[in-house]
């Protein structure tokens, strides 16, 4: 793929990410019809499990993010 092709690909990916972020922001602010900004995203049980394993869960999330970033290289 040429340099122009790579730039076009990353431009499309960036636009999709921006559109997704704008949609989530609009839903969170309650401006989208049919969305409830007070709705719970994660279940209370999942949040409790995350908090009980705090040092390990944060470390696991950091390691997973690093591995995903390295896989993208």
């Amino acid at each position: 793929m040429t340099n122009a092709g790579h730039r076009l690909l990353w431009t499309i990916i960036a636009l999709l990410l921006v559109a997704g972020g704008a949609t989530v922001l609009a839903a969170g602010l309650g401006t989208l019809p049919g969305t409830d900004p007070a709705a719970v995203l994660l279940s209370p049980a999942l949040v409790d499990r995350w908090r009980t394993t705090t040092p390990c869960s944060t470390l696991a999330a950091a390691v997973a993010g690093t591995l995903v970033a390295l896989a993208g290289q």
Side-chain angles (χ1 to χ4, degrees), residues 39-64:
V40 177
L41 182 63
L42 300 174
S43 70
L46 184 61
V47 173
D48 286 339
R49 258 188 283 164
W50 178 266
R51 288 183 180 153
T52 57
T53 59
T54 298
C56 294
S57 59
T58 306
L59 181 63
V63 169

Side-chain angles (χ1 to χ4, degrees), residues 29-43:
L29 294 175
T31 56
L32 283 179
T35 59
D36 181 20
V40 177
L41 182 63
L42 300 174
S43 70

Side-chain angles (χ1 to χ4, degrees), residues 14-37:
L15 289 174
L16 288 173
L17 288 172
V18 168
T23 303
V24 170
L25 178 64
L29 294 175
T31 56
L32 283 179
T35 59
D36 181 20

